[in-house]
Amino acid sequence: MAGGGKTLEGMADGLVTETLVEAASTFFGARKALEDEIELYRRRTEELERAEAEVLRRAAALHSLLPDAAAVRGFYAALGVDPGPLPEAAAGAAPAREAVRAPFSLLPWRRYAGLLLAAYAALAEAAEAYLHGRHATGPGGRKVQTANVGQLRDWCRALNARIETLNRDQRPSGTMSFVRGLDPARQERSRLADAPIADYASSLDQELAFAPVSCPAAEHPVTPELPAAHKVREAVLAHAKTLWAADSAAARARAAAWARARGGR
Protein backbone atom coordinates (compact mmCIF):
# COMPACT_ATOMS: atom_id res chain seq x y z
CA MET A 1 0.00 0.00 0.00
CA ALA A 2 2.82 2.34 0.87
CA GLY A 3 4.44 1.59 -2.43
CA GLY A 4 1.12 2.09 -4.15
CA GLY A 5 0.70 5.44 -2.39
CA LYS A 6 4.08 6.56 -3.54
CA THR A 7 3.20 5.51 -7.07
CA LEU A 8 -0.05 7.45 -6.99
CA GLU A 9 1.76 10.44 -5.53
CA GLY A 10 4.38 10.23 -8.25
CA MET A 11 1.67 10.02 -10.89
CA ALA A 12 -0.05 13.07 -9.44
CA ASP A 13 3.20 15.03 -9.38
CA GLY A 14 3.85 14.02 -12.97
CA LEU A 15 0.42 15.20 -14.03
CA VAL A 16 0.94 18.52 -12.25
CA THR A 17 4.32 18.98 -13.93
CA GLU A 18 2.86 18.13 -17.33
CA THR A 19 -0.01 20.55 -16.78
CA LEU A 20 2.39 23.29 -15.70
CA VAL A 21 4.54 22.78 -18.79
CA GLU A 22 1.47 22.88 -21.03
CA ALA A 23 0.14 26.03 -19.33
CA ALA A 24 3.50 27.77 -19.66
CA SER A 25 3.81 26.70 -23.29
CA THR A 26 0.34 28.02 -24.08
CA PHE A 27 0.89 31.31 -22.25
CA PHE A 28 4.38 32.11 -23.52
CA GLY A 29 3.75 30.60 -26.95
CA ALA A 30 0.77 32.87 -27.57
CA ARG A 31 2.73 35.92 -26.45
CA LYS A 32 5.74 35.02 -28.61
CA ALA A 33 3.55 34.47 -31.67
CA LEU A 34 1.90 37.86 -31.14
CA GLU A 35 5.25 39.59 -30.59
CA ASP A 36 6.54 38.11 -33.86
CA GLU A 37 3.47 39.26 -35.76
CA ILE A 38 3.71 42.78 -34.31
CA GLU A 39 7.36 42.97 -35.37
CA LEU A 40 6.49 41.81 -38.89
CA TYR A 41 3.66 44.35 -39.02
CA ARG A 42 6.03 47.14 -37.99
CA ARG A 43 8.49 46.19 -40.74
CA ARG A 44 5.68 46.27 -43.29
CA THR A 45 4.56 49.62 -41.92
CA GLU A 46 8.05 51.01 -42.52
CA GLU A 47 7.82 49.68 -46.08
CA LEU A 48 4.50 51.48 -46.53
CA GLU A 49 6.04 54.69 -45.19
CA ARG A 50 8.75 54.46 -47.86
CA ALA A 51 6.06 53.99 -50.52
CA GLU A 52 4.25 57.04 -49.14
CA ALA A 53 7.44 59.10 -49.30
CA GLU A 54 7.82 58.15 -52.97
CA VAL A 55 4.26 59.30 -53.68
CA LEU A 56 5.00 62.66 -52.06
CA ARG A 57 8.25 63.09 -54.01
CA ARG A 58 6.53 62.34 -57.32
CA ALA A 59 3.66 64.65 -56.43
CA ALA A 60 6.18 67.40 -55.65
CA ALA A 61 7.74 66.87 -59.09
CA LEU A 62 4.36 67.24 -60.78
CA HIS A 63 3.40 70.28 -58.71
CA SER A 64 6.67 72.06 -59.57
CA LEU A 65 5.37 72.35 -63.14
CA LEU A 66 2.29 74.29 -62.00
CA PRO A 67 2.14 78.00 -61.09
CA ASP A 68 0.93 77.88 -57.50
CA ALA A 69 -1.15 76.00 -54.91
CA ALA A 70 -4.42 77.07 -56.53
CA ALA A 71 -3.20 75.81 -59.90
CA VAL A 72 -2.25 72.48 -58.30
CA ARG A 73 -5.79 71.94 -57.08
CA GLY A 74 -7.08 73.20 -60.43
CA PHE A 75 -5.04 70.53 -62.18
CA TYR A 76 -6.67 67.73 -60.16
CA ALA A 77 -10.09 69.32 -60.64
CA ALA A 78 -9.55 69.17 -64.40
CA LEU A 79 -9.10 65.41 -64.01
CA GLY A 80 -12.22 65.09 -61.86
CA VAL A 81 -10.18 64.18 -58.77
CA ASP A 82 -10.26 65.54 -55.21
CA PRO A 83 -6.57 65.46 -54.18
CA GLY A 84 -7.38 65.55 -50.47
CA PRO A 85 -4.27 66.14 -48.34
CA LEU A 86 -1.81 65.37 -51.15
CA PRO A 87 -0.86 68.95 -52.20
CA GLU A 88 -0.09 70.08 -48.66
CA ALA A 89 1.66 66.84 -47.74
CA ALA A 90 3.89 67.03 -50.81
CA ALA A 91 4.81 70.68 -50.30
CA GLY A 92 8.02 69.93 -48.38
CA ALA A 93 9.11 66.86 -50.35
CA ALA A 94 12.12 66.79 -52.68
CA PRO A 95 10.80 66.41 -56.25
CA ALA A 96 11.50 62.98 -57.76
CA ARG A 97 12.26 64.26 -61.25
CA GLU A 98 14.43 61.22 -61.94
CA ALA A 99 11.28 59.06 -61.95
CA VAL A 100 9.81 60.97 -64.91
CA ARG A 101 10.51 60.04 -68.51
CA ALA A 102 10.68 63.47 -70.11
CA PRO A 103 9.31 63.42 -73.68
CA PHE A 104 10.84 65.12 -76.73
CA SER A 105 9.00 67.56 -78.97
CA LEU A 106 10.00 70.37 -81.29
CA LEU A 107 7.08 72.51 -80.16
CA PRO A 108 7.69 74.21 -76.77
CA TRP A 109 4.10 73.92 -75.61
CA ARG A 110 4.05 70.23 -76.56
CA ARG A 111 7.23 69.68 -74.57
CA TYR A 112 5.58 71.30 -71.56
CA ALA A 113 2.35 69.33 -72.02
CA GLY A 114 4.25 66.06 -72.48
CA LEU A 115 6.31 66.75 -69.37
CA LEU A 116 3.18 67.42 -67.33
CA LEU A 117 1.63 64.18 -68.56
CA ALA A 118 4.80 62.18 -67.83
CA ALA A 119 5.04 63.63 -64.32
CA TYR A 120 1.40 62.74 -63.69
CA ALA A 121 1.94 59.19 -65.02
CA ALA A 122 4.85 58.69 -62.59
CA LEU A 123 2.68 59.91 -59.69
CA ALA A 124 -0.30 57.74 -60.65
CA GLU A 125 1.97 54.68 -60.83
CA ALA A 126 3.38 55.34 -57.34
CA ALA A 127 -0.10 56.04 -55.94
CA GLU A 128 -1.39 52.73 -57.32
CA ALA A 129 1.47 50.82 -55.67
CA TYR A 130 0.96 52.69 -52.40
CA LEU A 131 -2.79 52.08 -52.26
CA HIS A 132 -2.96 48.55 -53.70
CA GLY A 133 0.57 47.18 -53.88
CA ARG A 134 2.48 45.72 -56.78
CA HIS A 135 3.96 42.31 -57.45
CA ALA A 136 7.63 41.94 -56.62
CA THR A 137 10.13 39.13 -56.26
CA GLY A 138 10.65 38.16 -52.62
CA PRO A 139 13.01 35.76 -50.82
CA GLY A 140 13.59 32.53 -52.69
CA GLY A 141 12.22 34.01 -55.91
CA ARG A 142 8.64 33.97 -54.64
CA LYS A 143 6.20 36.53 -55.98
CA VAL A 144 4.98 38.80 -53.19
CA GLN A 145 2.78 41.86 -52.97
CA THR A 146 4.40 45.00 -51.65
CA ALA A 147 3.00 46.69 -48.54
CA ASN A 148 -0.01 48.83 -49.34
CA VAL A 149 -2.74 50.83 -47.66
CA GLY A 150 -5.53 48.26 -48.10
CA GLN A 151 -3.41 45.40 -46.77
CA LEU A 152 -2.05 47.30 -43.76
CA ARG A 153 -5.44 48.75 -42.85
CA ASP A 154 -7.05 45.30 -42.67
CA TRP A 155 -4.04 43.82 -40.89
CA CYS A 156 -3.94 46.63 -38.32
CA ARG A 157 -7.57 46.11 -37.38
CA ALA A 158 -7.20 42.32 -37.17
CA LEU A 159 -3.98 42.60 -35.16
CA ASN A 160 -5.53 45.00 -32.66
CA ALA A 161 -8.47 42.61 -32.26
CA ARG A 162 -5.99 39.80 -31.46
CA ILE A 163 -4.18 42.02 -28.98
CA GLU A 164 -7.44 42.88 -27.23
CA THR A 165 -8.40 39.20 -27.06
CA LEU A 166 -5.05 38.08 -25.66
CA ASN A 167 -4.99 40.90 -23.08
CA ARG A 168 -8.46 39.85 -21.95
CA ASP A 169 -8.34 36.05 -22.16
CA GLN A 170 -4.70 35.23 -21.42
CA ARG A 171 -3.83 37.57 -18.59
CA PRO A 172 -0.78 36.77 -16.46
CA SER A 173 -2.99 36.88 -13.35
CA GLY A 174 -5.19 34.14 -14.81
CA THR A 175 -2.19 31.92 -15.46
CA MET A 176 -0.88 32.60 -11.93
CA SER A 177 -4.25 31.70 -10.45
CA PHE A 178 -4.38 28.49 -12.45
CA VAL A 179 -0.87 27.49 -11.35
CA ARG A 180 -1.65 28.22 -7.68
CA GLY A 181 -4.78 26.10 -7.99
CA LEU A 182 -2.63 23.07 -8.81
CA ASP A 183 -1.14 23.18 -5.29
CA PRO A 184 -4.03 23.33 -2.74
CA ALA A 185 -1.65 23.39 0.25
CA ARG A 186 0.22 26.42 -1.04
CA GLN A 187 -3.06 28.05 -2.02
CA GLU A 188 -4.32 27.73 1.53
CA ARG A 189 -1.06 29.13 2.96
CA SER A 190 -1.35 32.17 0.72
CA ARG A 191 -5.03 32.75 1.49
CA LEU A 192 -4.25 35.51 4.02
CA ALA A 193 -2.13 37.28 1.44
CA ASP A 194 -4.84 37.30 -1.23
CA ALA A 195 -5.30 41.07 -1.22
CA PRO A 196 -1.66 42.01 -1.89
CA ILE A 197 -1.36 39.15 -4.41
CA ALA A 198 -4.49 40.43 -6.16
CA ASP A 199 -2.98 43.90 -6.32
CA TYR A 200 0.26 42.48 -7.69
CA ALA A 201 -1.59 40.39 -10.26
CA SER A 202 -3.57 43.41 -11.45
CA SER A 203 -0.38 45.45 -11.75
CA LEU A 204 1.28 42.61 -13.67
CA ASP A 205 -1.67 42.42 -16.08
CA GLN A 206 -1.28 46.10 -16.84
CA GLU A 207 2.49 45.95 -17.13
CA LEU A 208 2.53 42.96 -19.50
CA ALA A 209 -0.47 43.96 -21.58
CA PHE A 210 0.22 44.49 -25.27
CA ALA A 211 -0.35 48.04 -26.50
CA PRO A 212 -2.48 48.41 -29.64
CA VAL A 213 -0.52 49.00 -32.83
CA SER A 214 -1.04 52.24 -34.71
CA CYS A 215 -1.83 52.50 -38.40
CA PRO A 216 -2.06 56.20 -39.33
CA ALA A 217 -0.81 55.76 -42.91
CA ALA A 218 -3.26 52.95 -43.58
CA GLU A 219 -6.22 54.70 -41.95
CA HIS A 220 -5.40 58.12 -43.45
CA PRO A 221 -3.80 57.61 -46.88
CA VAL A 222 -1.94 60.59 -48.24
CA THR A 223 -3.30 60.25 -51.77
CA PRO A 224 -6.69 59.44 -53.27
CA GLU A 225 -7.25 56.98 -56.09
CA LEU A 226 -5.76 58.51 -59.24
CA PRO A 227 -6.88 57.48 -62.73
CA ALA A 228 -4.21 55.89 -64.92
CA ALA A 229 -2.44 58.39 -67.18
CA HIS A 230 -3.82 56.90 -70.40
CA LYS A 231 -7.37 57.44 -69.15
CA VAL A 232 -6.89 61.17 -68.56
CA ARG A 233 -4.32 61.88 -71.28
CA GLU A 234 -6.54 64.28 -73.23
CA ALA A 235 -7.62 66.12 -70.07
CA VAL A 236 -3.98 66.63 -68.99
CA LEU A 237 -2.88 67.83 -72.42
CA ALA A 238 -5.85 70.20 -72.67
CA HIS A 239 -5.09 71.61 -69.23
CA ALA A 240 -1.43 72.05 -70.14
CA LYS A 241 -2.44 73.97 -73.26
CA THR A 242 -4.64 76.24 -71.13
CA LEU A 243 -1.76 76.92 -68.72
CA TRP A 244 0.57 77.64 -71.61
CA ALA A 245 -1.91 80.04 -73.18
CA ALA A 246 -2.38 81.86 -69.87
CA ASP A 247 1.37 82.49 -69.37
CA SER A 248 3.66 80.78 -71.85
CA ALA A 249 6.79 82.49 -70.52
CA ALA A 250 6.18 81.16 -67.00
CA ALA A 251 5.35 77.67 -68.27
CA ARG A 252 8.49 77.67 -70.43
CA ALA A 253 10.55 78.79 -67.42
CA ARG A 254 9.16 75.99 -65.24
CA ALA A 255 9.98 73.39 -67.88
CA ALA A 256 13.49 74.83 -68.29
CA ALA A 257 14.03 74.85 -64.51
CA TRP A 258 12.93 71.20 -64.45
CA ALA A 259 15.45 70.30 -67.17
CA ARG A 260 18.27 72.09 -65.33
CA ALA A 261 17.42 70.47 -62.00
CA ARG A 262 17.13 67.02 -63.58
CA GLY A 263 20.38 67.43 -65.44
CA GLY A 264 22.16 68.30 -62.22
CA ARG A 265 21.07 65.12 -60.41
PDB file of all heavy atoms in Angstrom, residues 134-160:
ATOM      1  N   ARG A 134       2.050  46.225 -55.468  1.00  0.00           N
ATOM      2  CA  ARG A 134       2.480  45.719 -56.776  1.00  0.00           C
ATOM      3  C   ARG A 134       3.200  44.400 -56.547  1.00  0.00           C
ATOM      4  O   ARG A 134       3.681  44.120 -55.454  1.00  0.00           O
ATOM      5  CB  ARG A 134       3.403  46.716 -57.489  1.00  0.00           C
ATOM      6  CG  ARG A 134       4.644  47.076 -56.701  1.00  0.00           C
ATOM      7  CD  ARG A 134       5.520  48.072 -57.432  1.00  0.00           C
ATOM      8  NE  ARG A 134       6.656  48.474 -56.623  1.00  0.00           N
ATOM      9  CZ  ARG A 134       7.758  47.751 -56.456  1.00  0.00           C
ATOM     10  NH1 ARG A 134       7.869  46.578 -57.065  1.00  0.00           N
ATOM     11  NH2 ARG A 134       8.744  48.183 -55.699  1.00  0.00           N
ATOM     12  N   HIS A 135       3.292  43.598 -57.576  1.00  0.00           N
ATOM     13  CA  HIS A 135       3.955  42.310 -57.455  1.00  0.00           C
ATOM     14  C   HIS A 135       5.463  42.499 -57.557  1.00  0.00           C
ATOM     15  O   HIS A 135       5.959  43.222 -58.412  1.00  0.00           O
ATOM     16  CB  HIS A 135       3.460  41.350 -58.531  1.00  0.00           C
ATOM     17  CG  HIS A 135       2.022  40.967 -58.359  1.00  0.00           C
ATOM     18  ND1 HIS A 135       1.567  40.262 -57.261  1.00  0.00           N
ATOM     19  CD2 HIS A 135       0.926  41.209 -59.116  1.00  0.00           C
ATOM     20  CE1 HIS A 135       0.268  40.073 -57.350  1.00  0.00           C
ATOM     21  NE2 HIS A 135      -0.154  40.645 -58.467  1.00  0.00           N
ATOM     22  N   ALA A 136       6.178  41.863 -56.645  1.00  0.00           N
ATOM     23  CA  ALA A 136       7.630  41.945 -56.621  1.00  0.00           C
ATOM     24  C   ALA A 136       8.191  40.563 -56.320  1.00  0.00           C
ATOM     25  O   ALA A 136       7.458  39.654 -55.901  1.00  0.00           O
ATOM     26  CB  ALA A 136       8.092  42.950 -55.566  1.00  0.00           C
ATOM     27  N   THR A 137       9.470  40.401 -56.545  1.00  0.00           N
ATOM     28  CA  THR A 137      10.135  39.127 -56.258  1.00  0.00           C
ATOM     29  C   THR A 137      10.685  39.157 -54.840  1.00  0.00           C
ATOM     30  O   THR A 137      11.485  40.020 -54.491  1.00  0.00           O
ATOM     31  CB  THR A 137      11.281  38.872 -57.256  1.00  0.00           C
ATOM     32  OG1 THR A 137      10.742  38.886 -58.582  1.00  0.00           O
ATOM     33  CG2 THR A 137      11.932  37.526 -56.991  1.00  0.00           C
ATOM     34  N   GLY A 138      10.222  38.220 -54.010  1.00  0.00           N
ATOM     35  CA  GLY A 138      10.647  38.157 -52.622  1.00  0.00           C
ATOM     36  C   GLY A 138      11.726  37.110 -52.411  1.00  0.00           C
ATOM     37  O   GLY A 138      12.318  36.605 -53.379  1.00  0.00           O
ATOM     38  N   PRO A 139      11.999  36.775 -51.142  1.00  0.00           N
ATOM     39  CA  PRO A 139      13.011  35.763 -50.821  1.00  0.00           C
ATOM     40  C   PRO A 139      12.719  34.431 -51.516  1.00  0.00           C
ATOM     41  O   PRO A 139      11.571  34.002 -51.592  1.00  0.00           O
ATOM     42  CB  PRO A 139      12.886  35.626 -49.296  1.00  0.00           C
ATOM     43  CG  PRO A 139      12.289  36.928 -48.848  1.00  0.00           C
ATOM     44  CD  PRO A 139      11.372  37.344 -49.953  1.00  0.00           C
ATOM     45  N   GLY A 140      13.758  33.812 -52.033  1.00  0.00           N
ATOM     46  CA  GLY A 140      13.586  32.527 -52.690  1.00  0.00           C
ATOM     47  C   GLY A 140      12.919  32.619 -54.049  1.00  0.00           C
ATOM     48  O   GLY A 140      12.484  31.610 -54.601  1.00  0.00           O
ATOM     49  N   GLY A 141      12.835  33.843 -54.594  1.00  0.00           N
ATOM     50  CA  GLY A 141      12.224  34.006 -55.909  1.00  0.00           C
ATOM     51  C   GLY A 141      10.714  33.993 -55.901  1.00  0.00           C
ATOM     52  O   GLY A 141      10.086  33.993 -56.965  1.00  0.00           O
ATOM     53  N   ARG A 142      10.101  33.984 -54.723  1.00  0.00           N
ATOM     54  CA  ARG A 142       8.641  33.965 -54.640  1.00  0.00           C
ATOM     55  C   ARG A 142       8.054  35.328 -55.026  1.00  0.00           C
ATOM     56  O   ARG A 142       8.645  36.366 -54.743  1.00  0.00           O
ATOM     57  CB  ARG A 142       8.176  33.611 -53.218  1.00  0.00           C
ATOM     58  CG  ARG A 142       8.507  32.194 -52.786  1.00  0.00           C
ATOM     59  CD  ARG A 142       7.956  31.889 -51.412  1.00  0.00           C
ATOM     60  NE  ARG A 142       8.439  32.804 -50.396  1.00  0.00           N
ATOM     61  CZ  ARG A 142       7.725  33.770 -49.836  1.00  0.00           C
ATOM     62  NH1 ARG A 142       6.465  33.963 -50.189  1.00  0.00           N
ATOM     63  NH2 ARG A 142       8.250  34.543 -48.903  1.00  0.00           N
ATOM     64  N   LYS A 143       6.895  35.298 -55.661  1.00  0.00           N
ATOM     65  CA  LYS A 143       6.195  36.527 -55.977  1.00  0.00           C
ATOM     66  C   LYS A 143       5.427  37.007 -54.749  1.00  0.00           C
ATOM     67  O   LYS A 143       4.666  36.247 -54.152  1.00  0.00           O
ATOM     68  CB  LYS A 143       5.220  36.306 -57.151  1.00  0.00           C
ATOM     69  CG  LYS A 143       5.900  36.067 -58.487  1.00  0.00           C
ATOM     70  CD  LYS A 143       6.687  37.298 -58.936  1.00  0.00           C
ATOM     71  CE  LYS A 143       7.321  37.089 -60.305  1.00  0.00           C
ATOM     72  NZ  LYS A 143       8.114  38.253 -60.728  1.00  0.00           N
ATOM     73  N   VAL A 144       5.657  38.233 -54.356  1.00  0.00           N
ATOM     74  CA  VAL A 144       4.982  38.795 -53.185  1.00  0.00           C
ATOM     75  C   VAL A 144       4.343  40.122 -53.580  1.00  0.00           C
ATOM     76  O   VAL A 144       4.699  40.726 -54.591  1.00  0.00           O
ATOM     77  CB  VAL A 144       5.971  39.015 -52.020  1.00  0.00           C
ATOM     78  CG1 VAL A 144       6.563  37.691 -51.553  1.00  0.00           C
ATOM     79  CG2 VAL A 144       7.085  39.979 -52.422  1.00  0.00           C
ATOM     80  N   GLN A 145       3.400  40.552 -52.763  1.00  0.00           N
ATOM     81  CA  GLN A 145       2.780  41.855 -52.968  1.00  0.00           C
ATOM     82  C   GLN A 145       3.400  42.847 -52.001  1.00  0.00           C
ATOM     83  O   GLN A 145       3.540  42.560 -50.807  1.00  0.00           O
ATOM     84  CB  GLN A 145       1.274  41.782 -52.757  1.00  0.00           C
ATOM     85  CG  GLN A 145       0.535  43.057 -53.170  1.00  0.00           C
ATOM     86  CD  GLN A 145      -0.965  42.947 -52.960  1.00  0.00           C
ATOM     87  OE1 GLN A 145      -1.400  42.386 -51.962  1.00  0.00           O
ATOM     88  NE2 GLN A 145      -1.745  43.472 -53.886  1.00  0.00           N
ATOM     89  N   THR A 146       3.785  43.997 -52.508  1.00  0.00           N
ATOM     90  CA  THR A 146       4.401  45.005 -51.651  1.00  0.00           C
ATOM     91  C   THR A 146       3.378  45.562 -50.660  1.00  0.00           C
ATOM     92  O   THR A 146       2.164  45.485 -50.886  1.00  0.00           O
ATOM     93  CB  THR A 146       4.978  46.152 -52.491  1.00  0.00           C
ATOM     94  OG1 THR A 146       3.929  46.729 -53.299  1.00  0.00           O
ATOM     95  CG2 THR A 146       6.095  45.653 -53.401  1.00  0.00           C
ATOM     96  N   ALA A 147       3.876  46.111 -49.562  1.00  0.00           N
ATOM     97  CA  ALA A 147       3.002  46.690 -48.541  1.00  0.00           C
ATOM     98  C   ALA A 147       2.150  47.795 -49.153  1.00  0.00           C
ATOM     99  O   ALA A 147       2.631  48.600 -49.956  1.00  0.00           O
ATOM    100  CB  ALA A 147       3.843  47.259 -47.392  1.00  0.00           C
ATOM    101  N   ASN A 148       0.892  47.821 -48.785  1.00  0.00           N
ATOM    102  CA  ASN A 148      -0.008  48.830 -49.337  1.00  0.00           C
ATOM    103  C   ASN A 148      -1.078  49.198 -48.321  1.00  0.00           C
ATOM    104  O   ASN A 148      -1.271  48.507 -47.314  1.00  0.00           O
ATOM    105  CB  ASN A 148      -0.640  48.327 -50.633  1.00  0.00           C
ATOM    106  CG  ASN A 148      -1.419  47.045 -50.442  1.00  0.00           C
ATOM    107  OD1 ASN A 148      -2.579  47.075 -50.021  1.00  0.00           O
ATOM    108  ND2 ASN A 148      -0.791  45.892 -50.721  1.00  0.00           N
ATOM    109  N   VAL A 149      -1.764  50.283 -48.594  1.00  0.00           N
ATOM    110  CA  VAL A 149      -2.740  50.830 -47.660  1.00  0.00           C
ATOM    111  C   VAL A 149      -3.842  49.825 -47.333  1.00  0.00           C
ATOM    112  O   VAL A 149      -4.170  49.595 -46.163  1.00  0.00           O
ATOM    113  CB  VAL A 149      -3.351  52.135 -48.223  1.00  0.00           C
ATOM    114  CG1 VAL A 149      -4.610  52.526 -47.440  1.00  0.00           C
ATOM    115  CG2 VAL A 149      -2.335  53.260 -48.168  1.00  0.00           C
ATOM    116  N   GLY A 150      -4.435  49.200 -48.350  1.00  0.00           N
ATOM    117  CA  GLY A 150      -5.526  48.261 -48.100  1.00  0.00           C
ATOM    118  C   GLY A 150      -5.091  47.100 -47.234  1.00  0.00           C
ATOM    119  O   GLY A 150      -5.787  46.708 -46.290  1.00  0.00           O
ATOM    120  N   GLN A 151      -3.933  46.535 -47.531  1.00  0.00           N
ATOM    121  CA  GLN A 151      -3.407  45.400 -46.769  1.00  0.00           C
ATOM    122  C   GLN A 151      -3.134  45.782 -45.321  1.00  0.00           C
ATOM    123  O   GLN A 151      -3.534  45.072 -44.385  1.00  0.00           O
ATOM    124  CB  GLN A 151      -2.121  44.913 -47.438  1.00  0.00           C
ATOM    125  CG  GLN A 151      -1.382  43.809 -46.692  1.00  0.00           C
ATOM    126  CD  GLN A 151       0.042  43.661 -47.209  1.00  0.00           C
ATOM    127  OE1 GLN A 151       0.895  44.493 -46.958  1.00  0.00           O
ATOM    128  NE2 GLN A 151       0.282  42.579 -47.955  1.00  0.00           N
ATOM    129  N   LEU A 152      -2.422  46.901 -45.122  1.00  0.00           N
ATOM    130  CA  LEU A 152      -2.046  47.305 -43.764  1.00  0.00           C
ATOM    131  C   LEU A 152      -3.244  47.751 -42.937  1.00  0.00           C
ATOM    132  O   LEU A 152      -3.278  47.535 -41.721  1.00  0.00           O
ATOM    133  CB  LEU A 152      -0.998  48.426 -43.826  1.00  0.00           C
ATOM    134  CG  LEU A 152       0.474  48.006 -43.832  1.00  0.00           C
ATOM    135  CD1 LEU A 152       0.874  47.416 -42.492  1.00  0.00           C
ATOM    136  CD2 LEU A 152       0.779  47.032 -44.940  1.00  0.00           C
ATOM    137  N   ARG A 153      -4.244  48.342 -43.584  1.00  0.00           N
ATOM    138  CA  ARG A 153      -5.441  48.747 -42.848  1.00  0.00           C
ATOM    139  C   ARG A 153      -6.163  47.533 -42.292  1.00  0.00           C
ATOM    140  O   ARG A 153      -6.525  47.492 -41.109  1.00  0.00           O
ATOM    141  CB  ARG A 153      -6.364  49.556 -43.759  1.00  0.00           C
ATOM    142  CG  ARG A 153      -7.648  50.015 -43.061  1.00  0.00           C
ATOM    143  CD  ARG A 153      -8.497  50.881 -43.982  1.00  0.00           C
ATOM    144  NE  ARG A 153      -8.785  50.210 -45.239  1.00  0.00           N
ATOM    145  CZ  ARG A 153      -8.489  50.698 -46.440  1.00  0.00           C
ATOM    146  NH1 ARG A 153      -7.890  51.862 -46.562  1.00  0.00           N
ATOM    147  NH2 ARG A 153      -8.811  50.023 -47.534  1.00  0.00           N
ATOM    148  N   ASP A 154      -6.369  46.512 -43.130  1.00  0.00           N
ATOM    149  CA  ASP A 154      -7.050  45.300 -42.670  1.00  0.00           C
ATOM    150  C   ASP A 154      -6.219  44.572 -41.614  1.00  0.00           C
ATOM    151  O   ASP A 154      -6.761  44.060 -40.619  1.00  0.00           O
ATOM    152  CB  ASP A 154      -7.316  44.370 -43.854  1.00  0.00           C
ATOM    153  CG  ASP A 154      -8.314  44.948 -44.849  1.00  0.00           C
ATOM    154  OD1 ASP A 154      -9.020  45.909 -44.474  1.00  0.00           O
ATOM    155  OD2 ASP A 154      -8.372  44.460 -45.990  1.00  0.00           O
ATOM    156  N   TRP A 155      -4.921  44.511 -41.828  1.00  0.00           N
ATOM    157  CA  TRP A 155      -4.039  43.818 -40.889  1.00  0.00           C
ATOM    158  C   TRP A 155      -4.022  44.530 -39.548  1.00  0.00           C
ATOM    159  O   TRP A 155      -4.067  43.889 -38.489  1.00  0.00           O
ATOM    160  CB  TRP A 155      -2.635  43.749 -41.480  1.00  0.00           C
ATOM    161  CG  TRP A 155      -1.672  42.862 -40.754  1.00  0.00           C
ATOM    162  CD1 TRP A 155      -1.918  42.100 -39.642  1.00  0.00           C
ATOM    163  CD2 TRP A 155      -0.298  42.626 -41.085  1.00  0.00           C
ATOM    164  NE1 TRP A 155      -0.789  41.414 -39.263  1.00  0.00           N
ATOM    165  CE2 TRP A 155       0.215  41.721 -40.138  1.00  0.00           C
ATOM    166  CE3 TRP A 155       0.530  43.100 -42.102  1.00  0.00           C
ATOM    167  CZ2 TRP A 155       1.540  41.294 -40.166  1.00  0.00           C
ATOM    168  CZ3 TRP A 155       1.846  42.668 -42.136  1.00  0.00           C
ATOM    169  CH2 TRP A 155       2.342  41.772 -41.174  1.00  0.00           C
ATOM    170  N   CYS A 156      -3.965  45.848 -39.570  1.00  0.00           N
ATOM    171  CA  CYS A 156      -3.936  46.626 -38.323  1.00  0.00           C
ATOM    172  C   CYS A 156      -5.176  46.343 -37.487  1.00  0.00           C
ATOM    173  O   CYS A 156      -5.085  46.108 -36.280  1.00  0.00           O
ATOM    174  CB  CYS A 156      -3.836  48.110 -38.652  1.00  0.00           C
ATOM    175  SG  CYS A 156      -3.787  49.187 -37.200  1.00  0.00           S
ATOM    176  N   ARG A 157      -6.321  46.332 -38.126  1.00  0.00           N
ATOM    177  CA  ARG A 157      -7.565  46.107 -37.384  1.00  0.00           C
ATOM    178  C   ARG A 157      -7.616  44.688 -36.817  1.00  0.00           C
ATOM    179  O   ARG A 157      -8.016  44.481 -35.669  1.00  0.00           O
ATOM    180  CB  ARG A 157      -8.753  46.368 -38.303  1.00  0.00           C
ATOM    181  CG  ARG A 157      -8.892  47.832 -38.711  1.00  0.00           C
ATOM    182  CD  ARG A 157      -9.943  48.038 -39.784  1.00  0.00           C
ATOM    183  NE  ARG A 157     -10.042  49.442 -40.172  1.00  0.00           N
ATOM    184  CZ  ARG A 157     -10.784  49.884 -41.179  1.00  0.00           C
ATOM    185  NH1 ARG A 157     -11.511  49.028 -41.886  1.00  0.00           N
ATOM    186  NH2 ARG A 157     -10.817  51.177 -41.479  1.00  0.00           N
ATOM    187  N   ALA A 158      -7.196  43.707 -37.637  1.00  0.00           N
ATOM    188  CA  ALA A 158      -7.203  42.317 -37.174  1.00  0.00           C
ATOM    189  C   ALA A 158      -6.188  42.108 -36.054  1.00  0.00           C
ATOM    190  O   ALA A 158      -6.452  41.392 -35.077  1.00  0.00           O
ATOM    191  CB  ALA A 158      -6.885  41.381 -38.343  1.00  0.00           C
ATOM    192  N   LEU A 159      -5.022  42.743 -36.170  1.00  0.00           N
ATOM    193  CA  LEU A 159      -3.983  42.597 -35.157  1.00  0.00           C
ATOM    194  C   LEU A 159      -4.422  43.226 -33.843  1.00  0.00           C
ATOM    195  O   LEU A 159      -4.208  42.646 -32.764  1.00  0.00           O
ATOM    196  CB  LEU A 159      -2.691  43.247 -35.659  1.00  0.00           C
ATOM    197  CG  LEU A 159      -1.432  43.080 -34.815  1.00  0.00           C
ATOM    198  CD1 LEU A 159      -1.170  41.621 -34.473  1.00  0.00           C
ATOM    199  CD2 LEU A 159      -0.232  43.681 -35.540  1.00  0.00           C
ATOM    200  N   ASN A 160      -5.046  44.368 -33.893  1.00  0.00           N
ATOM    201  CA  ASN A 160      -5.527  44.996 -32.661  1.00  0.00           C
ATOM    202  C   ASN A 160      -6.635  44.176 -32.005  1.00  0.00           C
ATOM    203  O   ASN A 160      -6.758  44.144 -30.780  1.00  0.00           O
ATOM    204  CB  ASN A 160      -5.998  46.425 -32.939  1.00  0.00           C
ATOM    205  CG  ASN A 160      -4.848  47.411 -32.971  1.00  0.00           C
ATOM    206  OD1 ASN A 160      -3.826  47.203 -32.325  1.00  0.00           O
ATOM    207  ND2 ASN A 160      -5.002  48.478 -33.722  1.00  0.00           N
TER     208      ASN A 160
END
